Amino acid sequence: MQFRDLQRQYEVLKKDIDQAMVDVAGSSNFIMGQPVKELETELAEYVGVKHCLSCANGTDALTLALKVWGVGAGDAVFVPDFTFFASAEVVSLEGATPIFVDVDTDTFNMDCTDLERKIENTINEGKLIPKIIITVDLFGLPAAYPQIRKIADKYHLLILEDGAQGFGGMIDGERACSFGDISTTSFFPAKPLGCYGDGGAIFTDNDEWAALADSYRVHGKGAFKYDNVRIGMNSRLDTLQAAILQVKFKAFKEYELADINVAAAKYTEKLQGKVKTPLIPEGYCSSWAQYTIQLSSKEERDVLQAKLKEQGIPSMVYYPTPMHRQTAYQSLGKNDCPATVRLCDTVLALPLHPYICDEDINAVCNAILK
Ligand SMILES: *Cc1c(COP(=O)(O)O)cnc(C)c1O
């Protein structure tokens, strides 16, 4: 059994993916070719924002947003304590300081009460200036944007939506990657919409920010490529990856997103009441980057994972360490995120992808219930 079966997906889409790759090779337009422009237009339309700019990966997408906003030394950026390292790493790389915020144990996303507490603490300490909230749509579920937007407005902060895992999710019919002032995603192969290597994108309605991001992603270009008006990056999406993504995006829209939701619902139906299953709030829709259950203790989680492994069932611990306890962040000093500390000990992600069969879901559930 595969944790996320990319091989099966390739078998289904092989004819179109192979043709797309051959077409790019035939065109020899490997950088910023036609498929890149087309994909950007298709993604912007789907998400419902004015601008989509593709780039080299999801981490660069976050960095581009921070560069556009001029975030740097002395700035405080609020980041969930329970996320992938890149969500905070980019903040530190720009010289700003991440302030870790605890998460809600039902949704795994940023806890609004703790967010407001951490913003107030930062203001009262007076050492850093609050600038940005980086929300993460963890495991495919959009963060609590209606509440977070109110907090952002109250304290005059911008929202950077890290939608690396969230692409395709919704709140009341509005798509993930449209909730931030700038939003980002990743096309790393195992994400909800993945390519065959690294890739990413940023989304915004703001013309000025889009133009700046376009400059930053190509060495700070001005009027043309060899007119360099600012220090930028080399962060483009390969034409080959864009062509592959066009094929995969079509499948994603036509059936993959629907099918993965059906599969997730089957897990919930079988496991509800036996272990803690993921909660999708009213009006929300997840793109199910992960299906994560919670056990009652670290010991129970670790024993279950070992037993599943014995039966050939893969499972993953996302994430084993709170951000504030990462070795790289020890210099930030003490932090208090008890929910995250607990989750790191008790979470377990189960095999899930749009092509998973009922037999596999049943085998996983039966093994857990036993
Ligand atoms: C994967 C991921 C990233 C980074 O994306 P890459 O394309 O691997 O650089 C950032 N944030 C979150 C939450 C992620 O899951």
Side-chain angles (χ1 to χ4, degrees):
M1 197 186 301
Q2 296 288 313
F3 186 72
R4 194 163 189 104
D5 200 341
L6 297 174
Q7 195 62 43
R8 175 88 192 103
Q9 183 193 45
Y10 176 59
E11 282 161 17
V12 173
L13 303 176
K14 185 176 187 325
K15 201 170 132 284
D16 289 345
I17 287 182
D18 288 359
Q19 187 59 51
M21 292 196 288
V22 167
D23 288 349
V24 173
S27 81
S28 294
N29 202 346
F30 298 114
I31 304 289
M32 288 292 177
Q34 192 62 29
V36 176
K37 294 282 152 221
E38 288 170 5
L39 178 72
E40 289 177 343
T41 305
E42 290 162 19
L43 293 173
E45 191 193 334
Y46 177 80
V47 165
V49 297
K50 207 165 161 194
H51 304 281
C52 167
L53 289 121
S54 59
C55 62
N57 55 69
T59 308
D60 278 6
L62 292 165
T63 297
L64 285 166
L66 296 178
K67 285 192 184 298
V68 162
W69 287 335
V71 174
D75 294 339
V77 179
F78 300 87
V79 183
D81 199 36
F82 192 56
T83 182
F84 179 60
F85 193 65
S87 307
E89 183 182 29
V90 293
V91 174
S92 308
L93 211 53
E94 294 306 299
T97 305
I99 311 277
F100 296 116
V101 178
D102 212 358
V103 297
D104 182 297
T105 50
D106 285 334
T107 63
F108 305 107
N109 281 331
M110 195 178 254
D111 176 332
C112 296
T113 308
D114 196 49
L115 171 62
E116 200 154 359
R117 188 184 310 139
K118 299 273 162 75
I119 294 171
E120 290 281 354
N121 286 351
T122 306
I123 294 170
N124 292 338
E125 272 177 26
K127 290 189 199 132
L128 299 167
I129 300 167
K131 284 279 172 71
I132 315 282
I133 303 167
I134 298 187
T135 52
V136 177
D137 303 336
L138 204 72
F139 305 150
L141 181 70
Y145 290 101
Q147 294 88 323
I148 293 171
R149 180 55 74 185
K150 284 202 190 105
I151 297 170
D153 288 347
K154 179 172 168 189
Y155 295 97
H156 308 291
L157 308 178
L158 292 166
I159 297 178
L160 173 52
E161 176 185 4
D162 179 352
Q165 301 181 17
F167 189 84
M170 283 191 285
I171 306 176
D172 296 329
E174 289 193 45
R175 289 279 175 201
C177 297
S178 74
F179 300 118
D181 294 292
I182 296 180
S183 304
T184 65
T185 197
S186 162
F187 304 124
F188 182 84
K191 307 280 169 155
L193 178 63
C195 60
Y196 283 180
D198 279 308
I202 87 169
F203 301 85
T204 185
D205 278 324
N206 185 299
D207 298 339
E208 190 190 330
W209 294 341
L212 271 173
D214 189 33
S215 167
Y216 275 117
R217 75 173 163 171
V218 186
H219 305 290
K221 71 174 179 184
F224 63 102
K225 193 176 168 186
Y226 300 107
D227 170 35
N228 305 94
V229 298
R230 55 182 63 83
I231 303 299
M233 307 163 69
N234 173 13
S235 187
R236 294 166 300 220
L237 182 72
D238 293 343
T239 308
L240 202 49
Q241 298 301 347
I244 292 163
L245 278 167
Q246 282 187 294
V247 176
K248 300 227 306 182
F249 186 36
K250 191 161 171 284
F252 183 85
K253 284 186 290 189
E254 283 178 1
Y255 63 88
E256 282 187 354
L257 184 57
D259 287 358
I260 203 165
N261 270 281
V262 170
K266 286 177 183 158
Y267 268 133
T268 299
E269 193 195 313
K270 290 208 155 58
L271 297 175
Q272 213 162 29
K274 309 292 198 303
V275 295
K276 188 165 162 58
T277 51
L279 180 96
I280 307 300
E282 186 72 34
Y284 283 62
C285 172
S286 177
S287 58
W288 296 105
Q290 305 297 340
Y291 188 94
T292 302
I293 59 170
Q294 293 173 50
L295 289 309
S296 60
S297 67
K298 183 172 189 322
E299 195 196 357
E300 189 184 59
R301 191 267 312 272
D302 292 346
V303 168
L304 175 61
Q305 186 171 34
K307 296 267 180 203
L308 292 176
K309 193 175 172 201
E310 275 171 24
Q311 297 175 52
I313 297 172
S315 63
M316 303 290 284
V317 174
Y318 297 122
Y319 292 93
T321 310
M323 295 293 273
H324 79 273
R325 292 195 180 170
Q326 288 285 1
T327 308
Y329 279 127
Q330 284 323 291
S331 62
L332 287 181
K334 269 181 80 79
N335 194 328
D336 191 26
C337 294
T340 300
V341 170
R342 187 175 160 70
L343 285 174
C344 290
D345 282 347
T346 56
V347 289
L348 193 65
L350 306 179
L352 181 66
H353 52 86
Y355 302 88
I356 195 167
C357 59
D358 284 355
E359 293 81 76
D360 282 356
I361 293 174
N362 290 339
V364 175
C365 292
N366 291 340
I368 292 169
L369 297 178
K370 200 167 145 207

